[in-house]
Each structure stands twice: as structure tokens, then as C-alpha cells.
Amino acid sequence: MATEIELIFPDGNPVFYPAGITGKEIAESIGPGLAKAALAVEINGEKTDLDTPIAESGDFRVLTFDDDEGKRIFWHSTSHIMAEAVRALFPDTKIAIGPAIDQGFYYDFDRDEPFTPDDLDAIEKKMTELIAEGRVFERREVKRKEAIERFEKEGEIYKVELIGEIPAGEKVILYTSGEFTDLCRGPHIPDASRIKAFKLLSIAGAYWRGDENEKMLQRIYGISFPKRSMLDDYLEKLEEAKARDHRKIGKELDLFSIHEDIGPGLVLWHPNGAIIRDLIEDYWRRRHRQEGYLPVYTPHVGRAQLWETSGHLGFYTENMYPPMEFEDGGIYYVRPMNCPFHIAIYKTRIRSYRDLPILYSEMGADYRYERSGVLHGLLRVRGFTMDDAHIFCTPEQILDEVMKVYGFSLEILRSFGFEDFGIYLSTKPEKCVGEAERWEQATDALRQALDKMGLPYKVDKGGGAFYGPKIDIKVKDALGREWQTTTIQFDFNEPERFDITYIDEDGQKKRPYMVHRALLGSLERFFACLIEHYAGNFPMWLAPTQVVVVPVSDKFSDYGKSVHKKLVSSGIRARLDDRPETIGYRIREAETAKIPYMVIVGEREANSDTGSLRSHAHGDLGSMSIEEIITRLTDEGKPPA
RNA sequence: GCCAGCAUAGCUCAGUCGGUAGAGCAGCUCACUCGUAAUGAGCAGGUCAACGGUUCGAAUCCGUUUGCUGGCUCCA
């Protein structure tokens, strides 16, 4: 065994250490600041505890709370402390799993009595005590049998189940902190006193193993930090996020509403929301025409037979509204998707390879019977409009078509100000239709498109639909939750079921590729994302009202009217507010309505044919001629090219 | 659908121990005619989500239903 190891630090510099040195000692050798911040180390991509002797050479780094991995270790350790506190207070509780998540941690418990908010306070208090008492995390490798016996004795049936699933070659590791021992791969922070601030945030139900046939457990969510101020900042950010919530802003800016007596998940677009929607649709239609898409319009209902053929009645009934039956026996369903109708148009004549690709697009209203617990503002509804299109093409064309549609999608999302995407490639699941060769070719096309654009993406192995692989793009809402907007999905199911074909060069009938794609996803969901993204401060090209003309008093109402008329006839979405309220009141109201501009007119302006421009973002911009204001607002109000 | 919490005026929210409903904003009326984020006064506004139960008496306690919120599962 080597007596010396060579560690390559993140800056690329190699440093030699005696073999068996611990991460803690290395951190100390670098500096007291790092030693204090160090939580764990990573050697050749393997994370270990600070006090584990290091025997091998390789890439090395110290993990602190500044690293994502460091955060996860920190939060995971906090979840152990929480579990110990829960077991101390409620000894009849069984423990399941307690991982770190993107923002904090949770632990799942099995207990007959539900946890109450008061219980959370008690648990927090207990955790504080445990941390004050001093808790270190001790790692121990044990024999599988020993671990099973231990947890069986304690009645920890979930742990026993988990151990049973650890692959034969893998070590079984237990971590003990205080009175609490848990099955855990680790690593952990050296000492719980690092946890300077934490908060338990919510209680929720969660199925064991995420399977709704399994028992529902109680999940407690929490977050923790190495500094008190970080928790305060986090909680403040949470409050700010709530202020961006599209449901709140939707009400404040009079954009939309949803009514119990109309139906859950059914959206009314008020004028302010509908103006924005119109502008989105205008832009969308223009760009789609430019990209070679052909518009179609299709009905919102269709015969049962159609849905039988498409397969929806087989695999999608749970999400469909119940059938409508006529006296003559005709049965119709409201559509959950548009595809069968687009296919029907494709099938109205024999298609040649020369006709392909064919791109049919439609803002198609769809209705899906979503389970009651999943509805969520505009983000998850029962009636929505998909910005749908179907691409029919030859095998030779798919790569090109996928590249185009992926690039198109990024362009559209970016033009609405989105830059931070979660991109996912979902590949072939176990149960699926379609030939292996087609799956391969399609997945390959998707992967090539993704690679070519160079944006990072995650592969969801086996996560594709049973009918084809797909690319999904998700954007985050105010609370950091990801919502799918763009989806680009291959379909090997419906072309088969509807037997769609084209005649190739060789005169043979062949099966075209079919791709479903929505770029915005649904207008409802996209609108929600847009509201939260801009926090209601829509850019000029989308603002329902772009400018309000505010005469200082009644005396200048006539001049205000003439300015308003000029703005409107220049195509600017202007409003006049000459109500007999104080000037301060009317300015404040326009500000809270997040209207991008005001033109304030009084004696000075009336005498010089000018207006005083005030911006929502920058305040008073001073007086300028009406022509200048029109030019300025028109330029800024142009939709994306 | 499942777990937990919540539901009072158009909005945001008070309402103690069960004793019969309250504020601010918004709305309406009047006065004020105003220079860059709230002028003042007055008026009106409620089957306390719905239904059932306990009680002399229920916004308040209990049950059911509906809706919403946070999760789970599912998904645009």
C-alpha cells in the first residue's frame, strides 16, 4: 500500500498527503476557514465523511454548504435529527425514508395519529435540545443479518424492507447519532452543532415508495442552515415568492377567475388576461406560419368510435369527461387531445413523400378530467388550450424536423423572457408499442437535437410515453416548482391504429413518423408561468394597458382626451383616467395596476403640446412631445421578431 | 383519488369562554380641482361555503358534502 497519496484539488493542483489522512485534517491544512465550513469530502466522485481515512489518490474536494452536494448532506443530517426528535416524542412512530431535496429535507413517518402543527413546534423544540446536547454522526458497517435483526427488533418494517433491496455486493451502513440509528449511505456532517437554524415547514401525506397502492405515510418537510441569517433570508424569499403567485396577481390585476359554480379547473379569462392571450396567440400564429405550419380548426367532440380507434378509451378514459349520449344511440366524448382530428385531415387524401413534412397546428381546446387533488390555479386545470401541432414526416426527415422544432421551442420560450429551463429526454419504457428500430431512430434524433443546441439536459431513462420517446422542457414557478411547457413527443401508436401512410419514391406505402408537440404547453399554464416570471410586470408588448393618460385636474381633461386619442390611433393600448380623484390617487392606482407608463398632463403640457412621461420601472422621466412619446412606446411595444 | 390544513362583505382580514357580525380597502353619494404611490365626510354592503346534528341559544362544538391550499400519485 502506498504511503503517500496524490490529491488533485479543484484548481487542478496536485498535493501530496500521507495515506490515511482524513478530510478534516486536509481541510485544516488548507485553512481554518475551510476547516470550519467543511461538511464532507469528495474523492474521485465518491462522497465520504470528514473523519474517514483517505487511502487513494485522485480528484479531491472539500464540500461545504456552498456546494449543492454539501447542502444535501447538511439537510440530510438535519432529517436524522428530526427523526430522532420524532421518535423521542412519539415512540410508536415507525420511520421510512428521510432524504434531502432541492430545498431542504423531509422524513416519512408511519404513525396512527396525524401530526398537528402543534406537534411540529414540539418537534422543533426537541430538535433544538438534541442539537444543544451535542450530536455526532457515527458510521458503522454491519453485516446484513445484524442490521435486519436490529430493525426487526425495533419494529422498523420499512428499514427491513429497504435492507432487503440493497444489492448483494453492497455494504450495509448504519449511522448513529445520539439515541437514533438509521440505515443510511451517508455521508453526514461531522457534528449537529453546525445546524444553527432550521424550521419545519409543512406536513403532507406521501405514499410509501410513491405508490398509491401502498400505505400513506406522514411526511414532514423542513429546511436548515449553518447561519441564522440564511434561514431568515430563505423565509423572506418564500414570502416574496408568494407575492408573485399567479393566483394572487391574477386577482389583483383582474386577469382571470375560476368559479366553484362553473366547475373546478375551468378558467374565465377576463379582458386584461384575454388581451395578453390574444397578443401571445397573434405572435404564435405569425411565427408558426413563418415556420411552415399549416393552421387547422377541428371540433371539440367526437364519436366514441374515434376514441376507440385512437386508443384513448383504452388507456386514457380515467382522464376523460364521461360520454354524452344521444337518443339515437350516438355516443360522443369531449376531446382530451387534438391528435385524432389532425390525423383525420391527413387521411383525407393519399399523401406522397413529396408532400412531407406536413405540419398541422391548432390552438386546440381540450378537456381532461383531472383528479380533484391535482388542480392548481392555472397551472393544472380541467379545460385548457394546447398550442398543439402534429408533424408527419418520413424517416429521412425526422432528424431535421426534430432539430427545427426544438430550436423553435427555445426561441419562443426565450422571447417571453424565459432562460432557466429544465430539459428532459425521456427514453423507451419497458411496456411500449412500436418497433425497436423506430424507437432507436427517434430517440437518436431527439438526442442529436439536444446535443446540437448545447443546453444541459437530463435523461429520464424509461420515462417515455408507451407510444414514443419525448423531449420535455419545464420552467419554474415562483416557488421553484417545475411545470412542463414544451413537449415534443413521438407517437408510434396512433399512426398504426389509424393506419396512416404515404407513398414513397419506390411506389410503396410506408408509415410516416408522427410527432406531437406543444411549445407553450397550454395557454393557461403558460400564462401562469408568465405572470409569475414577470411578477405581473408585463413587458410593453404584452401589457393589457400600456399607458394611462392622467390629467392633473378636470381643467386639463380635454387636453388629456386629445392626447389619449392620439395614442390610441397610433395603435397604443392607452386609457384615460380623468376621474375627479386626486392626482396622487390616480397615479398610485396605475402603479399598483403595474401599468408600464403614465402620461401626466397639466397646464405646462397643455400649453406646449407635450406630456410628462412616468415609467412604472423608473418613475418620472420628464416632459416630451407627444410624438416622441408615441415613437418611444411604439418601439418598446413591438412584439418579438 | 389519498393525507393534512383552511373557508366570515367584491378584496385583505378581526371576531375572546357558544349569547345573534366588525375594520381597512374597493363601490355609491356629496364636497374638494389637485403636479408624479392613498383628500375628506356620508351611505350601502353578510343565509359567517352548503347541509345535518348537539344546545335555551352555533360564525364558534360535532358530522357530511363542496371548494381551495400544501404535499403524494398523475400530468399540458
Side-chain angles (χ1 to χ4, degrees):
Chain A
M1 185 178 151
T3 54
E4 209 171 48
I5 53 171
E6 182 186 5
L7 298 179
I8 319 285
F9 281 65
D11 60 6
N13 287 327
V15 184
F16 293 89
Y17 287 101
I21 191 170
T22 65
K24 184 172 178 230
E25 288 161 345
I26 296 172
E28 279 165 355
S29 77
I30 298 169
L34 185 63
K36 223 177 130 198
L39 298 174
V41 297
E42 190 182 88
I43 172 94
N44 292 322
E46 198 78 25
K47 291 181 265 296
T48 65
D49 293 316
L50 273 187
D51 60 3
T52 304
I54 299 168
E56 56 180 318
S57 297
D59 291 327
F60 174 88
R61 66 185 179 126
V62 175
L63 298 173
T64 70
F65 197 79
D66 294 333
D67 307 298
D68 284 349
E69 294 93 330
K71 280 193 180 73
R72 298 187 80 88
I73 292 165
F74 192 88
W75 286 330
H76 181 205
S77 296
T78 315
S79 85
H80 275 224
I81 301 291
M82 177 170 80
E84 182 181 356
V86 167
R87 276 243 302 244
L89 294 170
F90 311 98
D92 56 329
T93 305
K94 294 185 187 61
I95 56 172
I97 52 165
I101 49 177
D102 283 353
Q103 295 284 316
F105 60 87
Y106 67 77
Y107 213 112
D108 284 347
F109 301 103
D110 182 4
R111 173 174 176 248
D112 293 337
E113 291 289 303
F115 289 114
T116 66
D118 286 345
D119 292 339
L120 287 195
D121 290 343
I123 296 165
E124 282 186 352
K125 224 174 129 196
K126 189 76 194 173
M127 287 171 70
T128 308
E129 282 170 28
L130 296 179
I131 292 169
E133 268 174 34
R135 283 290 182 275
V136 291
F137 297 86
E138 281 171 50
R139 181 178 193 274
R140 202 154 57 89
E141 262 177 60
V142 296
K143 293 222 165 60
R144 182 171 299 249
K145 209 176 134 211
E146 186 192 331
I148 291 178
E149 277 169 11
R150 184 199 172 97
F151 286 119
E152 266 177 355
K153 209 172 95 197
E154 291 176 348
E156 294 293 1
I157 50 172
Y158 300 101
K159 294 297 171 187
V160 174
E161 194 176 326
L162 290 173
I163 294 169
E165 279 162 30
I166 297 176
E170 230 171 86
K171 291 169 185 163
V172 175
I173 298 160
L174 302 183
Y175 271 86
T176 301
S177 50
E179 301 292 306
F180 180 73
T181 296
D182 199 353
L183 173 73
C184 178
R185 228 179 260 121
H188 276 283
I189 60 175
D191 162 5
S193 69
R194 301 292 189 94
I195 305 167
K196 300 294 188 202
F198 67 90
K199 187 163 178 60
L200 303 186
L201 298 166
S202 63
I203 314 164
Y207 299 104
W208 168 237
R209 330 209 106 210
D211 182 341
E212 59 182 322
N213 300 311
E214 296 276 5
K215 184 163 186 183
M216 176 152 288
L217 309 173
Q218 297 186 65
R219 176 171 295 178
I220 301 179
Y221 285 91
I223 191 142
S224 60
F225 296 97
K227 269 191 196 163
R228 177 93 232 161
S229 60
M230 292 169 90
L231 175 63
D232 295 339
D233 288 349
Y234 175 79
L235 294 175
E236 199 176 307
K237 282 220 178 76
L238 267 188
E239 284 307 309
E240 282 168 20
K242 281 185 194 152
R244 295 178 91 91
D245 191 309
H246 74 279
R247 292 164 299 195
K248 185 173 153 71
I249 292 177
K251 212 176 273 176
E252 287 166 357
L253 302 189
D254 197 12
L255 302 173
F256 67 91
S257 59
I258 297 172
H259 302 255
E260 184 176 342
D261 42 1
I262 290 173
L266 302 175
V267 179
L268 306 187
W269 293 71
H270 297 199
N272 284 343
I275 290 168
I276 297 174
R277 174 171 169 161
D278 273 358
L279 292 160
I280 294 171
E281 289 191 19
D282 289 348
Y283 163 64
W284 187 95
R285 290 206 168 86
R286 192 190 78 227
R287 283 297 293 120
H288 277 70
R289 275 197 299 275
Q290 290 166 343
E291 292 294 311
Y293 286 82
L294 306 170
V296 296
Y297 287 99
T298 61
H300 294 187
V301 297
R303 280 188 196 281
Q305 183 56 52
L306 178 76
W307 304 108
E308 202 68 68
T309 306
S310 70
H312 284 93
L313 285 182
F315 65 79
Y316 209 72
T317 12
E318 278 189 9
N319 282 299
M320 289 168 72
Y321 273 77
M324 287 168 277
E325 227 164 305
F326 290 93
E327 276 182 22
D328 64 3
I331 300 175
Y332 288 76
Y333 283 88
V334 168
R335 70 180 180 191
M337 296 183 196
N338 315 308
C339 31
F341 302 94
H342 293 196
I343 291 173
I345 296 174
Y346 180 93
K347 284 187 65 158
T348 52
R349 45 176 290 193
I350 292 176
R351 304 290 175 177
S352 153
Y353 72 97
R354 295 174 193 275
D355 300 329
L356 303 183
I358 289 174
L359 293 71
Y360 290 145
S361 67
E362 176 180 16
M363 291 278 187
D366 294 322
Y367 293 84
R368 298 184 184 174
Y369 193 79
E370 297 290 345
R371 301 211 267 183
S372 62
V374 306
L375 299 174
H376 183 100
L378 293 184
L379 285 164
R380 191 73 180 276
V381 293
R382 285 190 177 153
F384 58 94
T385 301
M386 209 187 317
D387 69 313
D388 204 10
H390 293 92
I391 301 169
F392 302 90
C393 69
T394 68
E396 296 74 44
Q397 292 166 331
I398 55 164
L399 179 56
D400 203 33
E401 288 306 312
V402 166
M403 297 256 193
K404 274 199 277 188
V405 72
Y406 179 50
F408 188 26
S409 166
L410 292 173
E411 179 210 314
I412 297 277
L413 291 176
R414 283 179 176 138
S415 69
F416 286 99
F418 293 101
E419 291 294 344
D420 184 16
F421 311 121
I423 303 173
Y424 299 84
L425 170 65
S426 301
T427 61
K428 188 166 171 281
E430 295 228 344
K431 272 182 76 180
C432 63
V433 302
E435 304 141 35
E437 192 192 321
R438 289 208 148 209
W439 273 88
E440 218 163 282
Q441 192 179 10
T443 310
D444 216 50
L446 293 174
R447 190 175 288 119
Q448 282 195 49
L450 287 165
D451 288 338
K452 193 177 176 206
M453 286 296 171
L455 291 177
Y457 63 91
K458 291 185 189 133
V459 177
D460 183 1
K461 206 159 178 284
F466 77 91
Y467 51 79
K470 58 176 184 164
I471 291 175
D472 293 328
I473 303 181
K474 302 182 184 188
V475 306
K476 288 194 176 95
D477 73 6
L479 287 170
R481 295 172 294 205
E482 283 196 330
W483 294 92
Q484 183 176 314
T485 53
T486 295
T487 186
I488 302 169
Q489 310 184 337
F490 273 87
D491 189 339
F492 303 136
N493 180 52
E494 285 182 297
E496 201 71 43
R497 286 174 166 271
F498 284 102
D499 191 27
I500 56 172
T501 57
Y502 67 96
I503 309 296
D504 207 357
E505 303 179 69
D506 56 8
Q508 296 294 306
K509 256 193 193 177
K510 291 191 182 157
R511 184 84 69 222
Y513 273 91
M514 174 176 163
V515 176
H516 311 251
R517 48 111 284 187
L519 305 187
L520 309 176
S522 81
L523 287 168
E524 285 74 9
R525 175 176 294 178
F526 186 74
F527 190 35
C529 293
L530 201 62
I531 292 168
E532 302 201 354
H533 179 70
Y534 288 119
N537 299 300
F538 294 105
M540 270 292 274
W541 78 278
L542 289 171
T545 299
Q546 295 175 309
V547 57
V548 185
V549 179
V550 186
V552 169
S553 77
D554 260 5
K555 289 185 213 155
F556 313 104
S557 191
D558 283 343
Y559 180 65
K561 274 180 189 141
S562 75
V563 171
H564 173 249
K565 207 173 153 192
K566 276 188 200 162
L567 293 171
V568 170
S569 58
S570 310
I572 292 167
R573 294 187 293 280
R575 249 180 38 210
L576 175 70
D577 184 359
D578 59 354
R579 291 173 302 168
E581 299 286 353
T582 61
I583 175 87
Y585 179 89
R586 285 172 292 150
I587 287 172
R588 181 169 194 279
E589 200 170 79
E591 286 292 347
T592 55
K594 301 177 193 279
I595 291 163
Y597 286 103
M598 277 173 250
V599 175
I600 291 148
V601 293
E603 188 165 12
R604 290 196 296 272
E605 289 77 15
N607 290 337
S608 58
D609 207 18
T610 60
S612 166
L613 193 63
R614 180 191 163 95
S615 141
H616 177 54
H618 303 107
D620 191 358
L621 301 176
S623 286
M624 56 195 82
S625 73
I626 302 304
E627 285 64 38
E628 203 179 333
I629 289 173
I630 288 171
T631 309
R632 189 166 174 156
L633 300 194
T634 306
D635 281 352
E636 213 185 307
K638 281 196 183 113

